[in-house]
Amino acid sequence: MLQVGITGGIGSGKTTICKIFEILNIPIYYADDQAKKLMVTNELLIQDIKDFLGPDAYTKEGQLNRPYIANIVFNDQSKLDRLNSLVHPAMYKDGQRWHLQQKEVPYTLKEAAILFESKGNALMDKTILVVAPLDLRIQRVIARDKISKEAVLSRISKQMSDEEKIPLADYIILNNGKAPLVPQILKIHDKLAILSKKRLG
């Protein structure tokens, strides 16, 4: 079956889009959620993180010491890149194992916030990009996370822009609060189902 990546900048509404795909019985691998799980369950990854950030990266209970880690990596892009380089191989293996377990579906979706930034799109058969106007994205994140506009803009600045991502994506979904979502999603779903059938011969 096909492996399809779905991504979008913060506040684009990709989670909402994924929920609609789930209604169509398409299994979804939420990469960011799985990464957090692997960072506290995968023994090799845990040791790599401790070697890199020190034993204080974890609490005595074995949970991530998030404030400690954030203080190190979010102020130093090279350290954030290094941490991602440790997590991504473990997440790729876990994602592949999960993908192979899925049955009787034309494709699976991998939802990842930094699909293009991490070059994860190269491992997918097709990619979907969710886009939305910047002002709407800012409004959504302020309402969701209860943070300032400046904090939202800071997060956005750390991701590739839609203008950079659009040429890399196979399909675009416009989530501007006006364009109906379901027809856009069904059109992509049908195309992927046809492509999957062709691949099966």
Side-chain angles (χ1 to χ4, degrees), residues 40-82:
V40 295
T41 59
N42 184 308
E43 294 298 333
L44 290 175
L45 179 57
I46 290 169
Q47 191 56 54
D48 284 343
I49 292 172
K50 285 181 177 178
D51 290 343
F52 173 48
L53 297 174
D56 289 339
Y58 288 84
T59 66
K60 290 178 181 177
E61 295 75 30
Q63 297 301 307
L64 286 174
N65 185 344
R66 296 186 185 282
Y68 173 85
I69 294 172
N71 191 49
I72 295 174
V73 302
F74 289 127
N75 295 315
D76 188 327
Q77 186 63 44
S78 65
K79 285 187 169 64
L80 179 58
D81 291 342
R82 172 67 178 144

Side-chain angles (χ1 to χ4, degrees), residues 109-178:
L109 277 181
K110 178 181 181 180
E111 185 269 335
I114 55 170
L115 184 71
F116 293 119
E117 291 89 338
S118 67
K119 305 293 190 291
N121 58 305
L123 304 171
M124 300 291 109
D125 294 301
K126 294 291 179 181
T127 56
I128 300 168
L129 174 64
V130 182
V131 300
L134 182 59
D135 59 345
L136 182 56
R137 292 171 58 194
I138 293 169
Q139 289 174 24
R140 286 172 177 163
V141 180
I142 290 174
R144 183 189 71 194
D145 296 348
K146 306 296 188 285
I147 58 176
S148 67
K149 181 178 179 179
E150 290 70 25
V152 179
L153 289 170
S154 175
R155 290 189 192 179
I156 288 173
S157 71
K158 291 180 172 65
Q159 296 182 334
M160 288 170 63
S161 69
D162 285 348
E163 288 73 24
E164 293 173 291
K165 293 175 183 175
I166 286 171
L168 303 173
D170 294 295
Y171 307 105
I172 309 291
I173 294 175
L174 176 60
N175 186 17
N176 63 357
K178 298 175 183 176

Side-chain angles (χ1 to χ4, degrees), residues 11-26:
S12 62
K14 61 184 178 297
T15 302
T16 300
I17 306 295
C18 285
K19 296 302 178 189
I20 299 174
F21 274 105
E22 286 182 334
I23 292 170
L24 297 171
N25 294 317
I26 298 302

